[in-house]
Amino acid sequence: MKLFAFSLACAFALLASSLASAAIVEHTFRIENTTIKRFCKEQVIVTVNGSFPGPTINVSEGDTVIVHVINQGPYDVTIHWHGVFQLFSIWADGPEYVTQCPIAPKSNYTYKFNVTKQEGTVWWHAHASYLRATVHGAFIIHPRSGQFPFPKPYKQLPIILGDLYNSNVEDIAAEAQDSGGGPNTSYAFTINGFTSDLLNCTEDVTFKMKVKQGNTYMLRMINAALNYDLFFKIANHNFTVVAVDASYTERYDTDIIVIAPGQSADVLFTANQPIGSYYMVASPYVVNFDAFNRNIARGTVIYDDAPPSSKPMMPILPPATDTETAFKFYSNVTSKVGAPHWVPVPLKVDEHMLVTIGFGLELCDSKNASNNACAGKFRQRYSASMNNESFAIPPGIKMSMLEAFYNNVSGVYTTDFPDKPPLKFDFTNLHNANNMSLLFAPKSTKAKKLNFNSTVEIVFQNTALLEGQNHPMHLHGYDFHVLAQGFGNFNNDTDRAKFNLVNPQLRNTVGVPLGGWAVIRFRADNPGVWLMHCHMEDHVPWGLAMTFEVENGPTPSTSVPPPPADLPKC
């Protein structure tokens, strides 16, 4: 009896301790214009609370997050919590016109959600127009136990890689949409908002990281750049990758990190070199760009007791087109079986999809173009599509897609997104790059309907239309297993032998290489309307997106809850 009483007391104590460790984390985000000085001039950017990048949110797994967004800026805005599952809290996901109407200037909205079944580094960013260029920040989910599945590092710090433009990004976006062409390239890359000492007028505003010899640091890395995969190196130092997209991995040792737009990685870095100064550098990885930002972001790792006059050592950078190095990194990471929140690959597949992704054209609307010609190829407007459907929100929309789903309203979207492209052709053959019969896809607002708890397998097939590019595909609301990646046309008979069904990496964003493919699998256990899109920002308004409509589960607790009272109206 005494033993039972003791055990019961221990159980209650553990329960109380567990409940006590959960907390409410509350922030206020004030969206506002802020003047910064870069590139020898002052410029106005949109920020959160006047900082670039915006504030870091630190939570523990199990916490409740409340963020009051007060829009004092000049543009409509939403906030997306990139990589956060939003389990049964889809109203807080954020993409404009998909899960909510935008927060208008002089309006407010409060995001409220729980952070469960995940830990690691994700991030938050604006999900309206091009505002995420400067409206973004780190979102760090700490283990509730305080323990990692590897030795605890001495310190942890966010490393947010981004880019800056030399004029207002909303003006750039509007000009591109009016002309039908592509947006201007960014002017400089950034590390935690700082550029490079190689640029004029920025010698005194570079990122500096102080380290103590012998200590190990965890770099919580995020690629917030609008349109660039990025290489990252520190001269004479190596890294150990321990997590990607807030999912633990087997330790992967490398001297270079490659990170696509939208992706994150937790990376261990040990200060084990002679006392001195070493450059850290972010440089672009690009394929098939005619014009791109050729600058680099350069910060400095400075050891304690390093002489002030010591000249930093520069790393050897890969060529901007080094696909071999990028693909080696992207394809060699594996998940850590048995780590916290690890889930095995579902073996029974209910829905098989082959989804082509690539560029195309839209007929020029001459009223918005000069000389009856648009700025895209063949004097048309640039477009993009998935399975020959180019995503577009209907004009004059009165509610979000999620509101239409919740209220069973028709006319906002349809549920007939195709499981495969309407025409099978040699997808990666450059001879088809300018085939006019393949370049024009209809504009539509379509979802793929999924049963609750069904398992979905998607083969992403990149196409060579208009010669193509890499596409980092991001799925809202879920992580997915990346079963395999490769080049050429996916061959269902031979490439399935390459599937890793034991310990594939878990991600929310996967890079589909130019001239190649990637295969993902996930279980649709989170109801609502979820966006899937390319995280290259200029590809989204062209139409490189679609949605999943996941039906409600069998109980109220497994269904989409009622919308918040302050949900913005269109």
Side-chain angles (χ1 to χ4, degrees):
M1 191 67 178
K2 287 182 179 179
L3 179 61
F4 174 75
F6 177 77
S7 299
L8 192 61
C10 286
F12 277 119
L14 287 171
L15 178 61
S17 173
S18 175
L19 292 174
S21 64
I24 295 176
V25 179
E26 194 163 4
H27 287 263
T28 297
F29 277 15
R30 185 168 286 102
I31 310 294
E32 57 192 0
N33 276 347
T34 301
T35 301
I36 63 171
K37 187 171 184 179
R38 296 289 194 277
F39 322 135
C40 307
K41 65 178 184 179
E42 289 187 340
Q43 66 181 98
V44 176
I45 62 172
V46 181
T47 67
V48 171
N49 300 347
S51 65
F52 170 66
T56 295
I57 292 183
N58 284 280
V59 304
S60 294
E61 192 274 332
D63 285 351
T64 296
V65 178
I66 300 174
V67 180
H68 308 284
V69 176
I70 302 170
N71 189 2
Q72 296 180 337
Y75 308 107
D76 289 350
V77 71
T78 66
I79 302 294
H80 170 51
W81 314 94
H82 183 116
V84 175
F85 293 154
Q86 300 295 355
L87 288 170
F88 310 107
S89 57
I90 187 173
W91 298 105
D93 191 49
E96 63 175 344
Y97 301 115
V98 178
T99 61
Q100 68 169 97
C101 297
I103 309 166
K106 299 181 181 179
S107 298
N108 307 334
Y109 179 49
T110 294
Y111 293 91
K112 182 177 181 179
F113 53 93
N114 295 327
V115 180
T116 57
K117 299 184 180 180
Q118 56 187 147
E119 56 193 64
T121 303
V122 289
W123 60 304
W124 59 265
H125 61 79
H127 212 299
S129 190
Y130 283 63
L131 290 178
R132 81 169 172 90
T134 55
V135 179
H136 61 251
F139 190 104
I140 298 172
I141 309 169
H142 298 275
R144 196 167 182 176
S145 65
Q147 302 299 312
F148 299 107
F150 48 83
K152 189 172 184 178
Y154 174 67
K155 282 185 179 178
Q156 308 169 41
L157 69 156
I159 298 289
I160 301 178
L161 308 179
D163 50 4
L164 272 175
Y165 292 74
N166 60 2
S167 58
N168 184 296
V169 291
E170 290 298 283
D171 292 343
I172 293 172
E175 180 183 348
Q177 289 168 11
D178 285 345
S179 70
N184 293 336
T185 60
S186 58
Y187 186 79
F189 295 109
T190 59
I191 300 174
N192 287 347
F194 299 101
T195 54
S196 170
D197 55 357
L198 296 173
L199 299 173
N200 291 333
C201 309
T202 60
E203 289 83 0
D204 59 340
V205 285
T206 59
F207 177 69
K208 296 175 176 61
M209 176 180 168
K210 294 284 288 184
V211 298
K212 186 175 182 179
Q213 191 178 44
N215 285 348
T216 297
Y217 300 79
M218 183 154 73
L219 309 182
R220 294 184 173 272
M221 302 193 64
I222 296 161
N223 184 353
L226 288 190
N227 294 306
Y228 290 93
D229 293 59
L230 291 167
F231 294 116
F232 181 81
K233 295 191 78 171
I234 297 177
N236 269 29
H237 291 78
N238 292 326
F239 308 106
T240 299
V241 179
V242 293
V244 293
D245 289 3
S247 294
Y248 290 116
T249 66
E250 291 291 345
R251 295 171 66 95
Y252 178 66
D253 296 322
T254 176
D255 68 342
I256 189 167
I257 304 298
V258 194
I259 189 165
Q263 290 183 337
S264 58
D266 292 335
V267 175
L268 301 180
F269 149 75
T270 300
N272 56 7
Q273 294 301 303
I275 289 174
S277 298
Y278 302 84
Y279 278 124
M280 62 166 61
V281 177
S283 65
Y285 164 56
V286 296
V287 286
N288 201 31
F289 276 46
D290 292 329
F292 63 92
N293 183 350
R294 297 176 184 273
N295 292 311
I296 63 172
R298 189 162 79 168
T300 313
V301 174
I302 305 170
Y303 279 64
D304 285 352
D305 302 322
S309 60
S310 64
K311 185 177 181 181
M313 182 178 294
M314 184 71 180
I316 299 173
L317 299 177
T321 56
D322 191 349
T323 293
E324 182 179 354
T325 294
F327 187 75
K328 178 183 176 182
F329 182 92
Y330 285 144
S331 60
N332 278 1
V333 175
T334 56
S335 67
K336 187 173 181 63
V337 175
H341 315 299
W342 174 81
V343 292
V345 181
L347 299 180
K348 179 181 177 294
V349 177
D350 303 298
E351 300 276 358
H352 289 273
M353 301 179 70
L354 170 63
V355 178
T356 54
I357 52 178
F359 296 143
L361 298 172
E362 180 186 359
L363 290 175
C364 182
D365 180 357
S366 60
K367 69 181 181 181
N368 290 326
S370 59
N371 302 320
N372 296 321
C374 288
K377 199 161 187 179
F378 305 124
R379 303 175 73 178
Q380 305 299 324
R381 303 178 67 87
Y382 280 121
S383 183
S385 66
M386 301 171 67
N387 278 358
N388 203 49
E389 298 288 343
S390 186
F391 186 82
I393 294 295
I397 190 171
K398 300 300 182 184
M399 65 179 66
S400 68
M401 296 176 71
L402 181 59
E403 289 174 278
F405 168 80
Y406 183 82
N407 294 302
N408 196 26
V409 175
S410 62
V412 176
Y413 68 95
T414 59
T415 56
D416 55 344
F417 184 84
D419 289 339
K420 59 184 180 180
L423 177 67
K424 188 173 182 179
F425 59 97
D426 191 354
F427 300 119
T428 57
N429 189 334
L430 283 171
H431 286 103
N432 290 318
N434 297 318
N435 186 331
M436 296 296 282
S437 66
L438 301 173
L439 293 179
F440 292 88
K443 295 292 180 182
S444 63
T445 314
K446 294 189 175 184
K448 163 68 176 175
K449 192 170 185 176
L450 298 175
N451 293 330
F452 180 78
N453 223 27
S454 60
T455 295
V456 185
E457 181 181 287
I458 303 174
V459 178
F460 289 118
Q461 176 66 64
N462 208 335
T463 74
L465 298 181
L466 297 185
E467 299 182 354
Q469 284 180 8
N470 289 334
H471 296 288
M473 299 303 298
H474 172 51
L475 175 61
H476 289 227
Y478 299 93
D479 276 353
F480 47 73
H481 293 92
V482 182
L483 303 185
Q485 301 167 74
F487 291 95
N489 296 321
F490 178 79
N491 186 310
N492 195 57
D493 296 325
T494 59
D495 287 331
R496 286 191 172 272
K498 303 172 185 175
F499 283 12
N500 178 356
L501 300 176
V502 178
N503 64 343
Q505 57 188 283
L506 273 163
R507 281 198 177 271
N508 60 61
T509 306
V510 63
V512 184
L514 172 67
W517 49 268
V519 183
I520 69 169
R521 193 179 290 181
F522 70 97
R523 177 167 284 127
D525 56 1
N526 196 7
V529 180
W530 300 101
L531 183 65
M532 184 169 73
H533 64 100
C534 178
H535 223 271
M536 296 283 192
E537 197 64 23
D538 57 345
H539 299 177
V540 177
W542 293 351
L544 219 166
M546 57 83 66
T547 57
F548 288 104
E549 181 196 271
V550 182
E551 70 173 8
N552 286 315
T555 65
S557 65
T558 57
S559 301
V560 174
D566 64 339
L567 187 73
K569 304 298 182 184
C570 289

